[in-house]
Amino acid sequence: MTKPHEDPRAADAQPTTPPPAPPPTASATPRRLTRRRLLKAGLIGTSATIAACAAGAAWLWTTSDIDTAGTIRFVNRLAVPPLDTGRRDGSGRRVFDLRAAVGSRRLRPGRPTPTWGFDNGHLGPTLRAARGETVVVNVRNELTETTTVHWHGMHLPASMDGGPHQPIRVGATWSPSWRIDQPAATLWYHPHPHGRTGQHVYRGMAGMFIVDDPSGGPPGLPGRYGVDDVPVIVQDKNFDGDNRFDEASRLIGGVGVLGDTVLVNGTIAPYHDVTAERTRLRLLNASNARTYRFGLSDGRPFALVGTDGGLLPAPHTTDRIQLSPGERAEIVVTMRPSERLVLRSHPPELGADFWTSRLTGGDDTLDVLELRAAPRLTPSPALPGVLAEPPRIGSADGRVDRRFELANFMINDRVMDMSRIDFGVARGVTEVWEIVSTDLLPHNFHAHGTRFQVLSVGGAAPPPELRGWKDTIYAPRQVPIRVAVRFGDQADPNTPYMFHCHLLYHEDQGMMGQFVVTEPGRSPGRPALHDGHG
């Protein structure tokens, strides 16, 4: 049996059926740019005149941004995903059980929304284990099609990674097992079926996986799950007239679905009751395409304490943190009694031209979550001055071992091929990779089975928010990013890891490749193609 919430407040915060939320104001849900509306506006079609095109361009410009700042009534208590610490088997392994299934949620007034998810039919529990433990996750597929479960940010054998080479057939159970050997970090899990990742994630299949330090980590960090240590899984959705997720409405920006409604842990217009002076928010951008630039509504600074791969060397005081799809950040917010703050996404810095930026969410302002401080707050200790050892596996010496060019739904002019291994790297070797985006669209870069140290951004030293361990990084146009990547002791010449853009529409279109880790001096093999576990 899995364990329930460790804190009663966390259990209260996750109702089986969340209360209905009032519809956002008109300014919070502007009309989206579907093909039908573009046809009506005369923006496409051979009969469009120059005047119509000019008028249409003006309409396109004025209707393609979203601004919900100050317009959302936060009336729904933030749902906190159940905390699952698993069970011990006879060998001392920590065992988790996940069930991928269809469900429904009453997310808005009216009909329930059909969803997909783990265990409860939408999103999934927060799995939690410590470094040094061996874990087993039994994943049963009760969906209507084959899926996978990828452990994003986890260091593990390629055969346990959950990428497209580990499909789980309908009715089958997959039981990967591995020993956790990495620092404490906020990771997550989500499907990764080839060509269908975007649809599966958009329907609600995502959950957090927290890795703990067995020593407890540095003292002073908030750590009561669901109380002052809160998962914040952010996704944007579009709804059709029947309250279904609209998977077809895409902006013409070429990045896939950009939603006009923000959900946090599956909750629309959420608030969280703050009971301590300091609250740790574990931010996860689980959206398909949208990049967020998080800050607080009154502009006050917060402490950034962790990113994708774990804690930063020291707390970094800032008032903004930008996360592209798949990236995570841990921030600590300090509040006074009885005050209210809104976690807000400000227009992200996409590094694109003004048209592309506007059409891909670069001008959007979105209110995300309200923090409500109690009249009396539990005192919190000061944050420690040192959090973790900084990454030290590479140096900015000008060496580049591999270059990855992101453009036209391809990486290095290649579309993903399940039967092709793009390259092999030797176990125990550190390489320097250069990543550069060369077309007009926003892109980022994620590598499976490893983490990396950022060496430089555009030839300059990385900013403080990029000085910890990363596994996903945004790639502004024509800004080379160099990272040092080390490959551990898990060699398998026939089972690949993925590297890809984590804007899921781009990934599904083929902006992905494969690499294997080999024994020193050995060549890559050939991936075995099969139709799934079961």
Side-chain angles (χ1 to χ4, degrees):
M1 298 291 292
T2 58
K3 294 184 180 180
H5 286 276
E6 293 185 345
D7 188 275
R9 288 181 57 85
D12 292 341
Q14 176 70 13
T16 302
T17 302
T25 63
S27 62
T29 55
R31 298 175 67 193
R32 308 311 297 160
L33 301 177
T34 63
R35 179 176 176 83
R36 179 177 297 175
R37 287 172 184 154
L38 291 174
L39 285 166
K40 288 181 178 179
L43 287 181
I44 51 180
T46 59
S47 62
T49 65
I50 295 177
C53 287
W59 172 82
L60 180 62
W61 177 264
T62 58
T63 59
S64 59
D65 68 320
I66 305 173
D67 187 349
T68 66
T71 69
I72 302 295
R73 291 193 299 129
F74 295 96
V75 295
N76 297 311
R77 182 186 296 272
L78 176 69
V80 176
L83 182 62
D84 186 354
T85 57
R87 54 185 168 82
R88 295 286 190 181
D89 68 5
S91 302
R93 302 180 302 176
R94 191 174 293 276
V95 181
F96 301 94
D97 298 297
L98 288 178
R99 182 176 61 92
V102 175
S104 67
R105 282 292 179 274
R106 194 174 298 278
L107 300 174
R108 308 197 309 172
R111 297 180 179 180
T113 299
T115 60
W116 286 12
F118 298 96
D119 292 359
N120 63 4
H122 188 227
L123 300 182
T126 296
L127 308 184
R128 193 160 199 167
R131 185 174 192 172
E133 292 185 316
T134 296
V135 299
V136 181
V137 189
N138 300 311
V139 184
R140 179 168 178 78
N141 181 8
E142 296 182 6
L143 299 170
T144 56
E145 63 180 81
T146 297
T147 191
T148 81
V149 181
H150 166 55
W151 317 105
H152 185 125
M154 194 72 75
H155 306 169
L156 74 180
S159 60
M160 309 295 172
D161 183 60
H165 287 279
Q166 290 87 45
I168 313 169
R169 296 197 307 266
V170 176
T173 298
W174 178 50
S175 300
S177 178
W178 68 94
R179 182 177 181 273
I180 297 177
D181 187 16
Q182 63 192 97
T186 300
L187 313 180
W188 67 303
Y189 59 95
H190 64 81
H192 211 298
H194 185 38
R196 296 282 290 169
T197 298
Q199 288 90 338
H200 288 210
V201 173
Y202 193 73
R203 293 171 186 176
M205 297 185 71
M208 197 169 278
F209 198 133
I210 296 176
V211 173
D212 290 320
D213 189 313
S215 69
L221 288 177
R224 293 175 295 164
Y225 181 81
V227 181
D228 63 357
D229 184 355
V230 184
V232 179
I233 303 172
V234 184
Q235 297 176 307
D236 59 328
K237 308 291 185 184
N238 290 320
F239 292 86
D240 66 16
D242 291 327
N243 274 353
R244 294 176 177 270
F245 291 143
D246 189 343
E247 301 175 26
S249 61
R250 292 190 174 97
L251 291 174
I252 63 173
V255 295
V257 178
L258 287 175
D260 54 29
T261 302
V262 174
L263 283 71
V264 181
N265 301 346
T267 311
I268 294 176
Y271 67 87
H272 176 68
D273 289 319
V274 172
T275 58
E277 288 179 342
R278 293 186 178 87
T279 301
R280 180 185 193 174
L281 303 179
R282 296 179 185 258
L283 305 176
L284 161 60
N285 182 353
S287 294
N288 282 43
R290 184 179 292 282
T291 294
Y292 301 93
R293 191 163 178 250
F294 293 108
L296 298 170
S297 52
D298 65 353
R300 76 178 59 183
F302 51 83
L304 176 67
V305 297
T307 51
D308 299 348
L311 297 175
L312 292 176
H316 169 55
T317 300
T318 183
D319 61 0
R320 297 286 189 274
I321 180 65
Q322 182 161 305
L323 300 180
S324 63
E327 290 186 282
R328 290 89 67 206
E330 299 179 29
I331 68 172
V332 176
V333 178
T334 302
M335 296 185 68
R336 296 179 293 273
S338 299
E339 70 177 348
R340 294 190 178 188
L341 281 176
V342 173
L343 179 68
R344 176 173 294 162
S345 176
H346 300 269
E349 297 176 349
L350 299 179
D353 65 86
F354 68 95
W355 266 109
T356 301
S357 180
R358 190 168 182 86
L359 297 177
T360 55
D363 289 343
D364 293 351
T365 301
L366 300 164
D367 277 359
V368 176
L369 167 68
E370 185 178 61
L371 302 174
R372 298 180 178 179
R376 297 175 63 88
L377 297 177
T378 302
S380 300
L383 294 178
V386 176
L387 297 172
E389 286 291 322
R392 292 194 179 96
I393 62 171
S395 61
D397 57 5
R399 164 181 145 232
V400 173
D401 297 296
R402 301 185 195 277
R403 189 171 190 269
F404 300 85
E405 184 174 306
L406 314 178
N408 303 318
F409 303 123
M410 296 183 289
I411 299 180
N412 294 339
D413 293 324
R414 282 183 156 188
V415 174
M416 169 67 178
D417 182 343
M418 290 276 285
S419 65
R420 183 193 70 231
I421 292 176
D422 292 279
F423 60 89
V425 292
R427 174 176 57 84
V429 167
T430 297
E431 293 191 347
V432 175
W433 292 0
E434 183 174 83
I435 305 152
V436 61
S437 173
T438 59
D439 67 4
L440 297 177
L441 295 178
H443 299 296
N444 68 5
F445 184 87
H446 169 56
H448 287 209
T450 188
R451 56 182 179 167
F452 50 75
Q453 172 191 351
V454 181
L455 302 177
S456 63
V457 178
E465 64 269 21
L466 295 180
R467 293 179 187 170
W469 291 109
K470 295 283 290 175
D471 58 56
T472 308
I473 191 167
Y474 186 74
R477 182 170 179 260
Q478 298 294 356
V479 178
I481 297 170
R482 291 184 181 177
V483 301
V485 189
R486 177 174 291 167
F487 301 93
D489 57 358
Q490 306 288 351
D492 185 340
N494 301 311
T495 307
Y497 295 105
M498 305 295 114
F499 59 92
H500 59 88
C501 176
H502 215 285
L503 277 70
L504 299 183
Y505 177 67
H506 293 177
E507 172 189 326
D508 286 341
Q509 294 299 306
M511 202 169 196
M512 181 163 63
Q514 307 185 122
F515 69 95
V516 294
V517 178
T518 67
E519 294 292 343
R522 302 297 294 273
S523 299
R526 177 180 292 274
L529 302 178
H530 53 88
D531 64 355
H533 294 272

